[in-house]
Amino acid sequence: MNPIKKLAGETVIYGFTTILGRFVNWLLVPLYAGIFATQEYGIVINLMSYTALLMVLLTYGTETGFFRFATTDNKNNVFSTLMTSLSVTTSLFIILTLLFLREIADFLNVAEHKEYLILLIITVSIDVISSIPFALLRLECRPIRFGIIKLLNIGLNIGLNLFFLLLCPFLEQKGIAVPFYNPNGGIVYIFISYLIASVFTFIMLLPYMLKFRFYFSFGLLKCILKYSFPLLIVSLAGMINLQGDKIMMPKILGEVMSQEEALSMTGIYGANYKLALVMYIFTQGFRFAFEPFFFNYSKQEDSKKIYRDVFLYFTGFGLIIFLGMMYWIDIIKLFVRRPEYFAGIVIVPWVLMANLFQGMYYSLSLWYKLTDKTIYGAYMAIIGCIITLSMNIILLPRIGYLGSAYAVFTCFLVMCILSLIWGKKFYSIKYDLRKIIFYFLLTIVFYFLGKCITFENPWITSIVRTPLLILFICIFLIREMRFLFSKDFIHKMFHKK
């Protein structure tokens, strides 16, 4: 099989399962927001942000380290060494967190619900151990098995959420008692669902773990950790850029208001943040497709022209998504169902743009990957991290969660600009910045024109705004992608050999 076609096929499977997981997470927002008060949902948002950060810390870059060393050293030795290392460090994590469970629960404002932490500690630990077997499946080019296990995990998690949060309460109302269900359990069932899905995944991966004989080499581990440590720093900084606001918010706001109000603000912010996940899904889909593409195409004579065009097209379609979301925001906000969440809708345009700049950064960052100057990726991630932390500390007490939206927007905008500047020095690509700036300015004009159109009925408002969106799409396609309307292109689309 053609290696590029093979890579593309695998990318579709890996990308699809990952993006589907994000999309399902997005679809669960109305379920959670419709059932739980803002304060309860704030606890979920806060704790899940910590788990994302813990996954990065506890795997400490070993997944990429496994890819690097398993292809040059004995695969069994690398796999067994890393599994042993992760098992030891994860066991220490479990012991330490359980020993200091009360202190951790007090710090996270869940002193009366330590069971939340216990469930998440076990879930994170299982997911950490499962990371290397998943990496093994990718190394051995088994995307179908990888995809099936991921999809089963997603399906089980959805099913359990629906069972605990919808079916069980319905049965209780009908007088049918469910033996293991507590009507007052609340958000604990979100964490139980994650745990059961993770256990199921671990069991499915167990055969791949057991087929390797035990081996441990401290020297080998030292080499892997030396290679992986810079990647850990980049991943950690990147995760702080994405989750730092939701981690810091209850603590910082808790200094200027009650803890209950701070958690409520976190819940409102988290629910509305996820409305912008549509742009994040778009950028992640682009990233999965673009990364293997630019590596494979880098030797072609016209590679820089293609990279330039891809950057323009990606930006244009991202701006179309932005306008579409904002024109229909009065309908989309009903997605969170409860009116008390609607106050946070002001963050959506900022988070949408932040996610777009993140995708633009992915497109621009090809230069340091192609020139092996990955240290610059670390520099940019760390600078972004500093911006995220400092702006949240300064703005949260003054303007609330809108400050966090400004922070994530500024973080990815600055990273985008830095990548553009440094990229010109090491791998110059003549991006058409005049066109990019023109379409951003045009988007701002169209955005405010749309805001001028308001009716009492949100459906009428969104429908009347839609011709503006269609006009913007036509302007972009006719100016930049006229080839889509050519007879040759249409003929090739419908008459492929």
Side-chain angles (χ1 to χ4, degrees), residues 37 55 79 83 126 145 161 203 238 289 291 318 322 325 378 385 417 451 465 472:
M55 276 297 297
F79 182 88
M83 285 295 291
I126 292 172
R145 294 187 186 183
N161 270 278
I203 292 171
E291 282 193 345
F322 172 82
M325 287 287 293
C385 183
I417 293 171
K451 284 183 73 70
R465 288 172 175 172
F472 183 91

Side-chain angles (χ1 to χ4, degrees), residues 12-25:
V12 168
I13 296 172
Y14 295 135
F16 173 73
T17 53
T18 303
I19 293 167
L20 180 64
R22 303 285 185 185
F23 183 66
V24 167
N25 190 31

Side-chain angles (χ1 to χ4, degrees), residues 12-24 134 137 142-160 197-198 200-201 204-205:
V12 168
I13 296 172
Y14 295 135
F16 173 73
T17 53
T18 303
I19 293 167
L20 180 64
R22 303 285 185 185
F23 183 66
V24 167
F134 269 126
L137 290 178
R142 297 183 179 182
I144 301 298
R145 294 187 186 183
F146 178 96
I148 288 173
I149 296 173
K150 285 285 187 181
L151 289 174
L152 288 173
N153 175 281
I154 293 166
L156 183 59
N157 188 31
I158 296 172
L160 289 168
S198 291
F200 180 77
T201 300
M204 292 194 69
L205 291 170

Side-chain angles (χ1 to χ4, degrees), residues 150-398:
K150 285 285 187 181
L151 289 174
L152 288 173
N153 175 281
I154 293 166
L156 183 59
N157 188 31
I158 296 172
L160 289 168
N161 270 278
L162 296 175
F163 174 76
F164 286 123
L165 301 179
L166 293 181
L167 181 59
C168 287
F170 174 77
L171 293 175
E172 290 283 336
Q173 288 178 354
K174 296 295 182 180
I176 303 172
V178 182
F180 47 82
Y181 174 74
N182 179 5
N184 299 317
I187 61 174
V188 72
Y189 290 112
I190 296 176
F191 306 130
I192 289 174
S193 298
Y194 277 111
L195 174 59
I196 295 174
S198 291
V199 170
F200 180 77
T201 300
F202 181 81
I203 292 171
M204 292 194 69
L205 291 170
L206 205 55
Y208 302 101
M209 304 182 210
L210 297 177
K211 73 176 185 179
F212 285 89
R213 70 181 190 278
F214 175 77
Y215 175 90
F216 180 78
S217 168
F218 184 76
L220 176 60
L221 178 62
K222 187 178 178 180
C223 291
I224 296 173
L225 294 181
K226 183 179 179 181
Y227 171 83
S228 301
F229 183 73
L231 301 174
L232 169 62
I233 300 301
V234 173
S235 298
L236 190 60
M239 190 55 66
I240 290 173
N241 291 337
L242 291 172
Q243 304 293 345
D245 48 3
K246 295 173 279 292
I247 288 173
M248 299 167 68
M249 195 173 292
K251 285 297 173 187
I252 295 176
L253 289 181
E255 297 294 324
V256 295
M257 61 180 66
S258 71
Q259 198 57 56
E260 290 75 17
E261 288 177 308
L263 285 170
S264 180
M265 292 296 104
T266 306
I268 293 170
Y269 178 79
N272 285 280
Y273 193 100
K274 288 189 176 182
L275 290 182
L277 205 63
V278 172
M279 185 73 81
Y280 182 76
I281 291 170
F282 170 65
T283 60
Q284 289 301 304
F286 168 76
R287 184 183 183 184
F288 272 107
F290 186 59
E291 282 193 345
F293 169 79
F294 75 70
F295 276 116
N296 286 314
Y297 206 80
S298 61
K299 302 299 182 183
Q300 302 297 320
E301 291 184 5
D302 63 341
S303 59
K304 291 188 177 182
K305 178 185 179 300
I306 295 298
Y307 300 154
R308 182 196 67 193
D309 292 343
V310 167
F311 183 65
L312 176 63
Y313 300 154
F314 170 80
T315 303
F317 281 106
L319 292 173
I320 290 169
I321 292 172
F322 172 82
L323 285 177
M325 287 287 293
M326 295 317 302
Y327 284 171
W328 283 82
I329 195 65
D330 292 330
I331 301 300
I332 294 170
K333 74 179 184 181
L334 302 177
F335 194 68
V336 295
R337 297 170 66 185
R338 286 181 141 189
E340 55 261 42
Y341 285 94
F342 294 168
I345 211 74
V346 293
I347 73 164
V348 174
W350 297 98
V351 178
L352 280 170
M353 274 297 176
N355 285 330
L356 175 57
F357 281 122
Q358 184 186 28
M360 293 171 68
Y361 170 74
Y362 291 150
S363 181
L364 291 168
S365 64
L366 61 88
W367 64 269
Y368 71 76
K369 296 175 182 176
L370 290 175
T371 58
D372 291 332
K373 297 188 181 297
T374 51
I375 188 64
Y376 283 89
Y379 293 155
M380 288 183 282
I382 292 169
I383 290 170
C385 183
I386 292 169
I387 292 170
T388 298
L389 296 175
S390 58
M391 286 190 69
N392 272 284
I393 292 170
I394 294 169
L395 296 180
L396 266 174
R398 291 169 172 79

